[in-house]
Amino acid sequence: MLSEVLLVSAPGKVILHGEHAVVHGKVALAVALNLRTFLRLEPHSNGKVDLSLPNIGIKRAWDVAGLQSLDTSFLEQGDVTTPTPEQVEKLKDVAGLPDDCAVTERLAVLAFLYLYLSICQKQRWTREDLELINKWAFQGERVIHGNPSGVDNAVSTWGGALRYHQGKISSLKRSPALQILLTNTKVPRNTRALVAGVRNRLLKFPEIVAPLLTSIDAISLECERVLGEMGEAPAPEQYLVLEELIDMNQHHLNALGVGHASLDQLCQVTRARGLHSKLTGAGGGGCGITLLKPGLEQPEVEATKQALTSCGFDCLETSIGAPGVSIHSATSLDSRVQQALDGL
């Protein structure tokens, strides 16, 4: 039973290297992004469970007694189970969402209800607890995505950097935290179409595209090696290698046909300031990352952010290699985070 306010956060995720090549059996590196989602659990005595997701405009409440009356035979203690279509349909009835509710909002509420009914929250997390969190987060991903890779939930749980290869996920042991700019070009993309485009190009030009995929694989492996050597005391020459890998990977992704004029513009703006950028994710627009070297003066960073904003992009300064899911005390939170939580 929760007796006091519990504050929890989890990082986001970006792909550092290996986009698209991972679909064809190559290595990808995913890193935890220190733009965090915060959760505040607060006990109430009104007999209701209240859910507030301000970023997507969700505010719902359910009677605890009504939730407890559901058929929860699938909720074996400590047993992580995949939600069945019948259970999801039952949750839709419980959710009570209007027919015109957006798909993202509907899936978020269904994932919350499924996990709420399935998990007993703990205040202290052992490694076994984290493994359980990761497994349940994967089931939440299944509610939303159907057949996820498992990378998103693993990165958010464990943090740092992960290696993904042919369905196997492993943590990089000594991944440093790296400062980056995350830039959203605000150009929408169709991931499925982009993945299909690479596949078609591979079928059409196998002797050209297959070596590109092999080269992207080598870039991921070299980056993994360098990150492992950087540890707690990275050297300037190691950052130079990371910058070269970023440039090479971006050129390879353009050759695969997943670039976009907006991403080219992003790279040009940062290159003019001595910085190195690449797309992250599916490409075709979307987001890009820019590596910030140690010693870069803050006015230079701000000028770069302003230049990117002037292009119509959204730009955030953050870090990768962030901690995974974490419990916080209220006094440890950034004032802006605290203000946002207080406004719920």
Side-chain angles (χ1 to χ4, degrees):
M1 177 73 69
L2 187 66
S3 59
E4 59 185 24
V5 175
L6 180 65
L7 299 171
V8 183
S9 75
K13 179 218 74 177
V14 294
I15 299 296
L16 186 58
H17 290 293
E19 295 94 341
H20 290 282
V22 69
V23 178
H24 301 276
K26 309 302 183 183
V27 170
L29 299 181
V31 288
L33 180 70
N34 206 24
L35 295 175
R36 308 183 73 82
T37 296
F38 283 84
L39 168 69
R40 183 174 68 183
L41 293 171
E42 187 172 0
H44 288 286
S45 57
N46 62 359
K48 292 184 178 295
V49 175
D50 296 289
L51 172 66
S52 177
L53 302 175
N55 291 69
I56 58 174
I58 285 288
K59 200 170 184 67
R60 305 291 300 176
W62 300 272
D63 289 326
V64 172
L67 294 178
Q68 291 176 341
S69 69
L70 294 174
D71 176 13
T72 56
S73 57
F74 59 95
L75 303 181
E76 296 296 331
Q77 182 68 28
D79 184 25
V80 178
T81 56
T82 302
T84 66
E86 293 76 16
Q87 290 162 358
V88 173
E89 288 302 314
K90 186 178 297 184
L91 290 176
K92 287 181 181 179
D93 294 335
V94 176
L97 295 171
D99 292 338
D100 60 352
C101 180
V103 173
T104 52
E105 297 174 12
R106 184 185 304 277
L107 292 175
V109 171
L110 293 178
F112 166 78
L113 283 173
Y114 182 74
L115 296 177
Y116 172 81
L117 292 167
S118 307
I119 298 173
C120 178
Q121 188 62 260
K122 287 190 177 182
Q123 295 268 351
R124 294 179 178 274
W125 292 335
T126 64
R127 182 174 181 85
E128 289 73 22
D129 293 327
L130 289 172
E131 289 174 349
L132 189 61
I133 288 170
N134 185 47
K135 290 177 181 177
W136 276 117
F138 182 64
Q139 300 309 325
E141 283 276 295
R142 280 187 160 175
V143 173
I144 296 172
H145 294 299
N147 187 29
S149 67
V151 172
D152 286 7
N153 51 278
V155 171
S156 289
T157 301
W158 301 106
L162 299 180
R163 182 186 202 265
Y164 181 84
H165 184 221
Q166 296 182 346
K168 296 181 180 179
I169 301 173
S170 57
S171 295
L172 275 64
K173 299 301 181 185
R174 298 174 58 198
S175 177
L178 303 174
Q179 294 298 121
I180 65 160
L181 297 179
L182 177 69
T183 302
N184 182 2
T185 66
K186 297 193 278 191
V187 175
R189 75 280 178 86
N190 184 323
T191 299
R192 182 174 296 180
L194 289 161
V195 170
V198 173
R199 182 177 290 107
N200 291 338
R201 188 167 287 197
L202 175 61
L203 293 173
K204 187 176 182 180
F205 306 110
E207 294 185 358
I208 298 171
V209 176
L212 285 173
L213 298 175
T214 299
S215 183
I216 291 174
D217 186 59
I219 289 171
S220 297
L221 294 174
E222 178 65 9
C223 182
E224 180 182 7
R225 184 191 68 79
V226 173
L227 291 176
E229 290 181 350
M230 292 176 77
E232 299 296 327
E237 56 268 21
Q238 291 170 322
Y239 274 90
L240 293 176
V241 174
L242 293 181
E243 290 176 336
E244 284 189 85
L245 296 176
I246 285 172
D247 290 342
M248 287 190 289
N249 201 353
Q250 179 62 20
H251 290 307
H252 280 57
L253 291 165
N254 277 332
L256 291 178
V258 297
H260 190 272
S262 62
L263 293 165
D264 292 339
Q265 186 178 18
L266 187 165
C267 292
Q268 289 165 5
V269 168
T270 57
R271 189 183 307 117
R273 290 162 173 77
L275 302 174
H276 301 256
S277 305
K278 66 175 287 292
L279 68 83
T280 181
C287 292
I289 56 174
T290 304
L291 181 64
L292 301 178
K293 292 182 292 189
L296 191 64
E297 298 291 337
Q298 193 59 34
E300 297 178 66
V301 176
E302 293 301 325
T304 304
K305 290 165 63 178
Q306 182 57 49
L308 291 168
T309 302
S310 298
C311 297
F313 305 152
D314 287 339
C315 186
L316 295 169
E317 183 180 353
T318 184
S319 62
I320 54 177
V325 63
S326 305
I327 298 177
H328 304 271
S329 66
T331 56
S332 70
L333 294 178
D334 180 274
S335 59
R336 291 172 299 175
V337 174
Q338 188 63 62
Q339 289 173 6
L341 291 172
D342 289 342
L344 293 178

